[in-house]
Amino acid sequence: MNKPLLLSTNNKGKLKEYRDILAPKGYLIYCPSDLGIEIEVEETGKTFRENSLLKAQALSEYVNIPVIADDSGLCIDALDDFPGLYSARYASSLGGYPSAYEDLNKKLQGKDRKAHFHCCICLLEKDKKPLYFEGDCPGEILSEPKGSNGFGYDPIFFSTELNKAFGEASEQEKDAVSHRAKAIAKLSIYLCL
Ligand code: IMP
């Protein structure tokens, strides 16, 4: 029998990534809009863990099934992990990703370009402590965008595992190494124990 899980996003790309990995293991993934739930969670946490917990807690008020929520971002070593938690807000404060690419490139003049994407998934089940599953994807920040695949910072992220920019990688290639895929793989192992 399929076991239900509620994922705290209506983002179609994320939903597909979770369904692709967890459906074959017998999980039925719902998103808030499937259940008529509309919520906007303020990401006031100081860490990826805190934000993923805030998102999971907000949803768990509505349902009796386990909830999963994730938080992710781009962390640049030379900028003390900036934009990190603020990845989406930083790009929108500059008017979009192309301006963020330029701004990051300026900030990185003469500096090391090592970076990683990080993803933290929180699993919240009724009357249980929250559990966290995390994944990292190492890379470097390119001085100009390459390719137009993916979303967000993908065109300026050179994956050292794929040896190409995420902007040039196919969906399957990115899914093989991405921070989110690694965190989902850990969650999937736990759920099948
Ligand atoms: P959230 O986890 O949906 O809150 O996403 C945070 C933000 O981090 C996104 O809006 C992007 O700016 C950035 N981000 C997270 N994962 C990726 C990725 O795989 N590619 C590009 N940008 C990402």
Side-chain angles (χ1 to χ4, degrees):
M1 201 184 76
N2 280 328
K3 290 161 276 187
L5 271 180
L6 175 59
L7 173 66
S8 103
T9 183
N10 289 316
N11 177 305
K12 289 207 167 66
K14 272 194 188 179
L15 203 54
K16 183 176 179 304
E17 245 184 287
Y18 279 88
R19 283 187 173 142
D20 284 350
I21 297 180
L22 296 175
K25 315 249 178 200
Y27 282 89
L28 196 55
I29 313 290
Y30 294 99
C31 67
S33 64
D34 290 333
L35 306 181
I37 301 170
E38 260 183 61
I39 49 164
E40 194 65 48
V41 181
E42 237 194 295
E43 297 184 16
T44 52
K46 299 229 164 6
T47 61
F48 289 109
R49 278 192 176 208
E50 283 177 15
N51 277 342
S52 66
L53 176 61
L54 285 173
K55 294 184 203 177
Q57 279 172 330
L59 262 190
S60 68
E61 309 270 313
Y62 292 81
V63 291
N64 267 319
I65 59 175
V67 169
I68 43 179
D70 69 19
D71 197 42
S72 58
L74 173 67
C75 304
I76 302 176
D77 290 22
L79 305 181
D80 292 330
D81 282 350
F82 182 81
L85 286 185
Y86 307 100
S87 295
R89 284 166 275 180
Y90 162 65
S92 65
S93 75
L94 294 177
Y97 285 96
S99 310
Y101 304 158
E102 271 181 42
D103 192 54
L104 286 178
N105 191 40
K106 274 191 215 140
K107 288 189 195 321
L108 285 173
Q109 288 308 313
K111 296 199 171 129
D112 184 72
R113 291 181 167 259
K114 209 162 150 237
H116 63 275
F117 278 117
H118 183 75
C119 174
C120 175
I121 299 174
C122 174
L123 168 69
L124 198 55
E125 295 179 271
K126 278 268 176 291
D127 303 323
K128 287 194 185 169
K129 275 191 186 170
L131 291 175
Y132 299 94
F133 304 88
E134 308 197 47
D136 282 316
C137 177
E140 279 172 24
I141 303 302
L142 295 164
S143 51
E144 47 188 56
K146 270 197 174 168
S148 55
N149 294 344
F151 70 99
Y153 296 94
D154 282 344
I156 55 158
F157 187 80
F158 182 88
S159 159
T160 40
E161 286 166 307
L162 292 180
N163 206 28
K164 61 165 80 165
F166 268 177
E168 296 179 312
S170 68
E171 214 174 278
Q172 289 79 359
E173 286 174 320
K174 184 177 168 190
D175 286 354
V177 300
S178 89
H179 46 309
R180 194 168 302 104
K182 287 172 185 160
I184 299 173
K186 289 182 190 167
L187 168 72
S188 151
I189 291 169
Y190 172 79
L191 289 173
C192 294
L193 285 178

